[in-house]
Every structure is written in structure tokens, then in C-alpha cells.
Amino acid sequence: MEYNAHFSCVRGCPGEHSLYTVIYACPDCGGLLQVRHNLKALRRRGPQAWKQLMDARVGSTEWPYGSGVWGMREWVVPDLQDHNVVSMYEGNSNLFWAERLGAKLGMPNLWVKLCGNSHTGSFKDLGMTVLVSVVKQMMASGSPVRAVACASTGDTSAALAAYAAAAGIPAIVFLPSDRVSRAQLIQPIANGAHVLALETDFDGCMHIVRKVTQDNSIYLANSMNSLRIEGQKSVAVEIVRQFDWEAPDWIVMPVGNLGNISALYKGFQLMKDLGIITRMPRLAAAQAARANPFYQSFRNGFKEKVSLSAQSTLASAIQIGNPVSYEKAVQAIRNTDGIVEEASEHELANAGALADRTGMYTCPHTAVALAVLFKLLRKGKIDPGRKVVVISTAHGLKFTRAKLGYHHGTLEDVESEHMNPLLTLPADAGAVKTAIERTLEAHA
Ligand SMILES: *Cc1c(COP(=O)(O)O)cnc(C)c1O
Ligand SMILES: [Zn+2]
């Protein structure tokens, strides 16, 4: 095999580990692992040839290249066998030109990458297709793994449950009781996962799943498992490809456990290493003010990692107090001259509602990123003339309660500035006509 990859320590300890062994941390220092590719082999193909290859695979009917992730398989898990790929043709999501929202902000070049338009409704599908495929290959070659498990704020468990069900592999998911949306709760139940609701928060669930997966027959599917990062980095590649192989100036994205920002950074870095792009975009990480350990760490100059007990936020998928991929994310921010900013409940809810008025259907996490973008524009940190991509991480349909609350005006600490109240009228044509006239006048 010309191309190959293995796990190695992010802190640079020596040693390589097969992607098909059960290992989540460096045996020497306990640090996170990353998937390291054989760059020398990858560089034998020039940037032009790589671009052509990837372009040709988009929308392909040849298994598994129609997937946005497996269309770049040489950069993901090069030696995975076709029949072990567990794919739902994830990725290749729309890069939406936010023309009307951009016009309101004086930004002609505002784009939203709709990663939530995917099989289970979030970007987590991109990582799970890789992880579950590797597990399938491990099990096929006699590994002791019997099941996959994860702790989740909702979307990870939905993705794991779906991909595991598609592969016929048992899944066990740990959810913080009463802290995920109803849509997110029912997804893994419907897919037949063993769903355990624990009376704790996400960080508490993470603690338990790490204990449970010390038994090597239960494979850990959280993003400290860097196989997920390999799939998620396809978002960076897709964005660049969708701009005809040019990097944007800024990426603004919501962050919780810090896996996804590490993934995008890794994707951009790989393209730079291969000569496909010449400069890195700057990364802006967006946090909910009620769950902002990374923001606080940034404010102290990353002198030390801040961990805290995350407070309840509408952005429930990033309600995390002790982010696992901290070290990788610090690198991503430092090496791209990046920024970390926060948004209050009021700011995020109104930012999301404003975007919805221009045709989007934002989830609360995407709304955090939008609110942070508005703030960075106001502060002069982002120039409105720049090409900016906001990462939309999940589909708004998973978060109906938050949206209903907004338009009913019942959300705590939120004043709904773009409320669109439902009109209830008698079945009387005269009354209806009067009401229509009134709303159209208000619109004009
Ligand atoms: C998981 C998730 C995030 C955060 O990603 P991290 O890798 O944990 O930083 C953001 N938004 C949504 C909708 C998610 O599901
Ligand atoms: Zn190490």
C-alpha cells in the first residue's frame, strides 16, 4: 500500500500505533493521539492531481466515493477495505451563500457551511463513518471488540447509533439525563442503541464512559478517539473545494469538546502541506457564555486550561466544562492567529432568529457562531470585506423547543427581538383580510 497512516502522540512522544488497535491515549505521557499520514507518499501526487481526483469523485456512483469523507479516503484511512466502509453518503453539504444576512451586516462574502444537512442531522456523521468503518474492519479480522460506546450531548449518540445499526454492531450511549433535546433522545432509541440516561452532566457521562471502555471489548467513540477527527476534517477540504480550491479568510464555528475545531485545523494544515492552499484561514471559536472554559483559557493567554461546571444553555450540544481536545484546539487557535469569543443566551437566540428570517433554519450552536461573528464585526476584529464561513453544526429541526420558546417569548434571559407570533383568528374571511392587510403594512 502506497499510502499509510498510524496513531502517534500529539505531544511528540516516539512510537506508532496501528489504527486497528484499541488505543486512545499515548502510553508514555497519557496525551491525545492523532492520525499521522505518510506525507512523503502523499506528496508524490502533486496538488493539481489531487484536486482533479477529488473533483472527479464528487457525486460519484462508485462505492464509496459519493461520500464527502470517502471521496478523500487516501487522506483519511488509506488502507480500509471497501466492503468495511459504513457510509450513508455523508458530507458534500451545501456551502450556502448568506446573501441577505450578509447584506444586513455589510458582508458581501458571508457563507454558511450546512453540515447539519446530513443523515442524522449533524456533522458528527462525518467522524462516525470513519470510526465505525474501522471498528467493522477490526471485528472482521478477529479483534475482541464487541460494542461501541460514547458519552454525548445528543448528536454524537445519534450518529453512533445510526452508523452502528447500519453495520450491525451494538452501541451503548450515555446521555446526561434531561439535558438533550427530545429529537436527539429518540434518535439512538429508534436505532436500537442501549441508551443510558445518567443523572449527571456531559462531563460526568464522559468520566463514566472512559471507565467502562477500559474494558478493551467496548470501543470508545468519543472525539478523544482521533479517528473521528479524520472524518470531520473533510469539512475543511469541502469548503476549499467549494471555493474552487481557495481558502477563505475566516472560519467561525461553535466549540464544546474542541474536537471539531481541531479537525478543521488538521484539514487545512494537510492541504497546506500538500501545496493545495498557500495560506491558512484564521479560526474563530465560539462558546456559549454559560459554558465557556475555552474562552476563559484564551483570556488567560492559554497559560492554563480552565475547567468548570457548565451551566445550562440553549446550545446544549456545547454545554461542556472540561473539553477533551483542549491541547489540539490551542494549537489550532495559536497557529492561525485565531480568536475565542463568547455569546450570551440573549445574543445567540436573536442571532439565530435573524438568520432564520433570511431563509436559514439555525440550530442554537450555529446561532452561537453567528452571534460571535456579529460581535467580532462590531469590535473590528473581523473586517466585513473578508470571506467568512460560519460552520453550521446541526439541523435546526432537532431543536424545536428552543425555537418555539423564542417565538412564544418564553425563553429565560432572552428578549425575542425577531419574534414572529402565531395569529389565531376566527374562521371569518373579513377578519382574516383585515389581519393580512395589517401584517403586510407592517412588512412594507
Ligand atoms: C458536537 C457539536 C458541537 C461541538 O463540537 P466539538 O467537537 O465538541 O467542539 C457543536 N455543535 C453541535 C450541534 C454539535 O453536535
Ligand atoms: Zn505522549
Side-chain angles (χ1 to χ4, degrees), residues 9-14 25-33:
C9 174
V10 279
R11 295 176 185 156
C13 300
C26 171
D28 291 335
C29 74
L32 290 173
L33 299 173

Side-chain angles (χ1 to χ4, degrees), residues 82-123:
D82 276 8
H83 60 269
N84 288 326
V85 171
V86 183
S87 170
M88 318 248 201
Y89 275 20
E90 51 289 313
N92 287 325
S93 59
N94 183 21
L95 181 57
F96 174 83
W97 181 33
E99 185 182 10
R100 283 196 64 224
L101 182 62
K104 286 178 196 291
L105 304 167
M107 295 183 76
N109 239 326
L110 176 60
W111 303 76
V112 181
K113 177 69 172 162
L114 297 174
C115 303
N117 292 0
S118 187
H119 187 73
T120 69
S122 87
F123 75 84

Side-chain angles (χ1 to χ4, degrees), residues 257-426:
N257 222 4
L258 302 176
N260 206 29
I261 192 164
S262 310
L264 265 82
Y265 173 67
K266 196 161 185 279
F268 287 116
Q269 187 61 55
L270 178 64
M271 287 184 283
K272 190 147 176 283
D273 287 341
L274 296 178
I276 290 169
I277 56 174
T278 51
R279 62 181 174 86
M280 298 287 280
R282 296 178 69 186
L283 301 181
Q287 289 223 287
R290 286 190 176 166
N292 66 354
F294 194 51
Y295 174 71
Q296 292 196 28
S297 304
F298 174 75
R299 290 299 299 260
N300 75 32
F302 293 131
K303 275 202 280 294
E304 58 184 304
K305 175 182 172 180
V306 174
S307 292
L308 45 78
S309 176
Q311 305 300 302
S312 167
T313 165
L314 292 169
S316 50
I318 54 175
Q319 189 178 322
I320 293 173
N322 182 17
V324 165
S325 293
Y326 176 78
E327 284 174 49
K328 290 182 180 178
V330 169
Q331 266 199 350
I333 294 295
R334 279 204 173 127
N335 296 351
T336 63
D337 193 16
I339 292 184
V340 187
E341 186 51 90
E342 63 173 0
S344 68
E345 298 298 292
H346 176 76
E347 289 166 336
L348 77 89
N350 281 300
L354 183 66
D356 286 359
R357 285 294 182 97
T358 66
M360 283 177 258
Y361 198 68
T362 50
C363 78
H365 322 86
T366 307
V368 170
L370 288 168
V372 157
L373 168 65
F374 299 173
K375 199 174 272 185
L376 293 175
L377 286 168
R378 271 200 312 276
K379 290 185 172 177
K381 300 259 171 78
I382 292 184
D383 178 317
R386 294 292 175 187
K387 186 183 270 190
V388 178
V389 178
V390 171
I391 305 295
S392 176
T393 46
H395 202 293
L397 283 171
K398 289 198 186 205
F399 301 92
T400 303
R401 237 172 73 124
K403 280 201 192 292
L404 276 173
Y406 181 87
H407 289 287
H408 287 159
T410 55
L411 294 181
E412 233 177 90
D413 301 327
V414 174
E415 219 174 289
S416 304
E417 291 165 358
H418 312 287
M419 198 197 292
N420 184 20
L422 176 70
L423 266 187
T424 308
L425 295 171

Side-chain angles (χ1 to χ4, degrees), residues 149-351:
C150 73
S152 175
T153 52
D155 291 328
T156 298
S157 51
L160 180 64
Y163 282 84
I169 298 170
I172 308 159
V173 309
F174 297 79
L175 295 169
S177 182
D178 294 328
R179 285 178 176 88
V180 305
S181 80
R182 282 157 66 98
Q184 290 171 317
L185 176 64
I186 196 62
Q187 284 182 291
I189 291 176
N191 285 137
H194 302 279
V195 182
L196 310 173
L198 303 189
E199 284 162 2
T200 177
D201 56 7
F202 169 80
D203 300 286
C205 289
M206 193 68 229
H207 181 73
I208 302 284
V209 80
R210 283 168 94 149
K211 294 233 146 124
V212 169
T213 54
Q214 276 168 7
D215 171 352
N216 273 356
S217 75
I218 301 175
Y219 191 74
L220 176 66
N222 278 97
S223 60
M224 68 174 296
N225 185 323
S226 51
L227 290 171
R228 294 230 339 248
I229 306 299
E230 289 311 285
Q232 290 172 205
K233 80 178 190 226
S234 63
V235 171
V237 180
E238 284 186 10
I239 289 170
V240 166
R241 186 177 54 68
Q242 285 166 313
F243 286 134
D244 296 325
W245 298 104
E246 264 191 34
D249 297 307
W250 281 95
I251 301 282
V252 185
M253 60 191 298
V255 301
N257 222 4
L258 302 176
N260 206 29
I261 192 164
S262 310
L264 265 82
Y265 173 67
K266 196 161 185 279
F268 287 116
Q269 187 61 55
L270 178 64
M271 287 184 283
K272 190 147 176 283
D273 287 341
L274 296 178
I276 290 169
I277 56 174
T278 51
R279 62 181 174 86
M280 298 287 280
R282 296 178 69 186
L283 301 181
Q287 289 223 287
R290 286 190 176 166
N292 66 354
F294 194 51
Y295 174 71
Q296 292 196 28
S297 304
F298 174 75
R299 290 299 299 260
N300 75 32
F302 293 131
K303 275 202 280 294
E304 58 184 304
K305 175 182 172 180
V306 174
S307 292
L308 45 78
S309 176
Q311 305 300 302
S312 167
T313 165
L314 292 169
S316 50
I318 54 175
Q319 189 178 322
I320 293 173
N322 182 17
V324 165
S325 293
Y326 176 78
E327 284 174 49
K328 290 182 180 178
V330 169
Q331 266 199 350
I333 294 295
R334 279 204 173 127
N335 296 351
T336 63
D337 193 16
I339 292 184
V340 187
E341 186 51 90
E342 63 173 0
S344 68
E345 298 298 292
H346 176 76
E347 289 166 336
L348 77 89
N350 281 300

